[in-house]
Amino acid sequence: MPEGLIGRRIMQILLARMHESPVVALQGARSVGKSTVLRLIADHHQVEVIDLDDETQRALAEASATDVVDGDSPVCIDEYQRVPAVLQAIKAQLNRNHENGRYVLTGSSSFWALPRGTQSLTGRLHLLEIMPLSQGEIDGVREDFLDIAMNEPDRLRTSRTTGMHRGEYAERICRGGLPLAIGAVGHARDRFFRSYVGTELARDVLDLANIRQVNVLPKLLDRLAGQSAQLLNVTKAGGAVGLEPRTADNYVRLLEALFLVRKLPAWGRTLRARATKAPKLHLVDSGLAAHLMGVNARKLERRDPAAIVEFGHLLETFVVGELLKQASWLDDVDHIGHWRTSDGAEVDLIIETFDGDVVAFEVKAHQEAGGRDAGGLRALRDSLGEQFRAGFILNTGPVAYRLEDRIHVCPIDRLWHSASSWS
């Protein structure tokens, strides 16, 4: 992965957390850049990286985890979940030396999905998720859209038009944000994704659970890709690949623990009980989702009914992913979810601050936005009153403007442009 693509904000956050906590663990999907970040940290401190994906180093760690974790600070361990015993050894070291910034770890599976006996660092460890690269990181732009949307939403209005068209959005969707996919095109990108959900997935699952049907997981992931940006239906996805509902639910949890799928929970802190409790599903990367759905940018540009539906779902997954990346950089984000009621009101993404205020987003694939598109945002605003800071219809149109009280229309490509370029 080219080091120039590493998000500077992630590096800044990591260095700050190292001053606050004895152990920082970077977690996220395979190939998002965790190892590159770790190598940069190790080079800066002139220490070596202990790579537990390497058979020799893994064997040494399995033979004596204590020797592996007893080094100069920061001890940098890549893919620590391959030898969970290192966590117990780290705990023993911290009982003697509790200095902050002592260990930096990376893992391709969720810390909370590891066996309970390995979770001994609770209270001493800061978890930091690294997501696929944002569009701004790829373009070399410092994004501030979400920060402004949460604090100064009227600044997003501008008469400047955007040059983005459907085909360019389709290209960005299918490229996604996984660094190795960004640099590949055509069949090379397809080969990367096939490997990504094949041998890599099978190996990583075995770090978490001893399951009998490893080969069914890529097929299940295919079915889940078809549900991206929709309410999760585990029974339907599992039944399509021959899994009983309980087994399918366990396998979906495994895929979630590997950061391949994300369940966006239903949000309803202060709202009436008829709000649905079902989570919405998103794949972690729109490029991966497009590959699994068997579509490319050329197919998404078509205007036939199937392509229109696929483009809409993938566009929502793409936009939600970009907003979640920006949310991970901010300190004032408490809860994130989606909202849908039994009478048809829905909002694709809600971000709640620690003081209980809300900013909401609805993603639309068309260029024109009118009052009907604001129905969910309007219902949410009327339910929350003053706690509703702002709502945005993010669409493929060219201009940002205020539609009505605290509800705005904004082109999607504003997400990866800095405010200085809007005037």
Side-chain angles (χ1 to χ4, degrees):
M1 170 183 173
E3 294 182 2
L5 291 180
I6 284 296
R8 294 179 182 175
R9 298 198 195 193
I10 290 296
M11 289 294 294
Q12 292 170 352
I13 293 170
L14 171 58
L15 291 170
R17 298 299 178 264
M18 288 176 65
H19 287 293
E20 300 169 357
S21 189
V23 186
V24 179
L26 309 175
Q27 53 183 8
R30 282 270 176 184
S31 299
V32 293
K34 303 183 302 296
S35 298
T36 304
V37 174
L38 187 67
R39 187 171 66 252
L40 291 173
I41 291 293
D43 289 347
H44 177 73
H45 290 88
Q46 296 184 327
V47 297
E48 297 295 321
V49 172
I50 302 164
D51 180 7
L52 297 186
D53 261 348
D54 179 82
E55 291 186 8
T56 300
Q57 296 198 41
R58 186 166 65 251
L60 291 173
E62 289 170 340
S64 179
T66 299
D67 291 339
V68 167
V69 304
D70 186 17
D72 294 332
S73 294
V75 177
C76 297
I77 302 176
D78 201 10
E79 300 297 347
Y80 72 91
Q81 82 283 347
R82 303 302 305 275
V83 186
V86 300
L87 298 180
Q88 291 287 356
I90 288 173
K91 179 186 177 183
Q93 288 284 335
L94 293 180
N95 288 337
R96 297 188 291 272
N97 179 2
H98 198 265
E99 67 176 299
N100 288 339
R102 181 77 177 97
Y103 296 96
V104 182
L105 317 176
T106 76
S108 296
S109 57
S110 171
F111 175 76
W112 301 113
L114 296 173
R116 292 184 63 183
T118 67
Q119 296 176 4
S120 55
L121 294 177
T122 304
R124 301 179 177 186
L125 168 140
H126 182 88
L127 294 172
L128 179 62
E129 182 180 350
I130 295 187
M131 303 182 196
L133 293 171
S134 71
Q135 298 303 299
E137 288 172 326
I138 296 170
D139 291 354
V141 175
R142 183 178 177 85
E143 299 130 300
D144 49 16
F145 173 86
L146 183 57
D147 189 16
I148 294 174
M150 292 174 63
N151 297 292
E152 302 174 272
D154 286 335
R155 284 186 62 197
L156 296 175
R157 295 191 312 224
T158 176
S159 60
R160 177 182 176 273
T161 60
T162 174
M164 285 284 288
H165 55 76
R166 183 187 178 97
E168 289 176 288
Y169 282 118
E171 289 285 352
R172 286 182 180 264
I173 287 169
C174 293
R175 180 183 66 180
L178 292 174
L180 294 178
I182 292 169
V185 294
H187 296 307
R189 184 179 293 166
D190 289 334
R191 286 192 294 271
F192 165 75
F193 281 128
R194 279 197 296 271
S195 174
Y196 193 80
V197 298
T199 55
E200 297 281 354
L201 174 57
R203 179 187 62 180
D204 289 341
V205 164
L206 295 178
D207 287 332
L208 297 179
N210 184 17
I211 63 174
R212 298 179 179 179
Q213 303 181 65
V214 174
N215 292 335
V216 82
L217 281 166
K219 299 177 183 177
L220 178 61
L221 189 58
D222 278 348
R223 297 294 177 170
L224 293 174
Q227 292 187 23
S228 199
Q230 301 170 63
L231 294 181
L232 174 60
N233 188 330
V234 174
T235 300
K236 180 180 178 181
V241 296
L243 294 176
E244 295 294 328
R246 179 178 294 183
T247 302
D249 186 61
N250 288 335
Y251 283 16
V252 171
R253 291 175 188 273
L254 281 173
L255 293 172
E256 186 179 18
L258 293 172
F259 302 97
L260 294 174
V261 300
R262 184 186 303 276
K263 294 177 187 174
L264 187 65
W267 185 92
R269 174 179 54 84
T270 61
L271 303 183
R272 50 197 181 277
R274 69 175 183 269
T276 182
K277 295 183 179 179
K280 215 170 184 180
L281 183 79
H282 289 285
L283 263 68
V284 71
D285 182 71
S286 63
L288 176 61
H291 168 79
L292 293 173
M293 292 169 62
V295 299
N296 56 28
R298 183 170 53 83
K299 290 181 181 179
L300 288 180
E301 283 192 77
R302 296 174 183 169
R303 299 290 178 168
D304 60 85
I308 290 172
V309 171
E310 290 169 337
F311 180 76
H313 288 156
L314 285 168
L315 183 68
E316 182 180 334
T317 285
F318 171 76
V319 171
V320 167
E322 293 301 304
L323 288 168
L324 291 179
K325 292 164 194 174
Q326 294 191 30
S328 73
W329 306 330
L330 303 178
D331 292 328
D332 195 28
V333 174
D334 189 12
H335 294 296
I336 298 177
H338 77 96
W339 182 58
R340 178 179 295 200
T341 67
S342 58
D343 56 359
E346 61 179 291
V347 175
D348 293 329
L349 184 69
I350 293 175
I351 297 178
E352 181 183 356
T353 66
F354 281 99
D355 62 8
D357 286 353
V358 159
V359 180
F361 302 90
E362 184 70 16
V363 182
K364 298 296 182 183
H366 46 257
Q367 290 190 321
E368 303 295 330
R372 293 183 60 184
D373 296 312
L377 295 171
R378 191 179 298 118
L380 184 67
R381 178 195 63 193
D382 295 345
S383 296
L384 292 177
E386 292 302 315
Q387 288 190 308
F388 182 90
R389 289 189 186 178
F392 293 86
I393 299 171
L394 298 173
N395 71 346
T396 58
V399 181
Y401 57 94
R402 181 177 179 271
L403 185 65
E404 57 184 77
D405 176 37
R406 288 174 287 165
I407 296 179
H408 309 261
V409 176
C410 193
I412 290 168
D413 73 333
R414 290 291 187 271
L415 269 67
W416 55 88
H417 291 95
S418 64
S420 61
S421 67
W422 301 337
S423 56

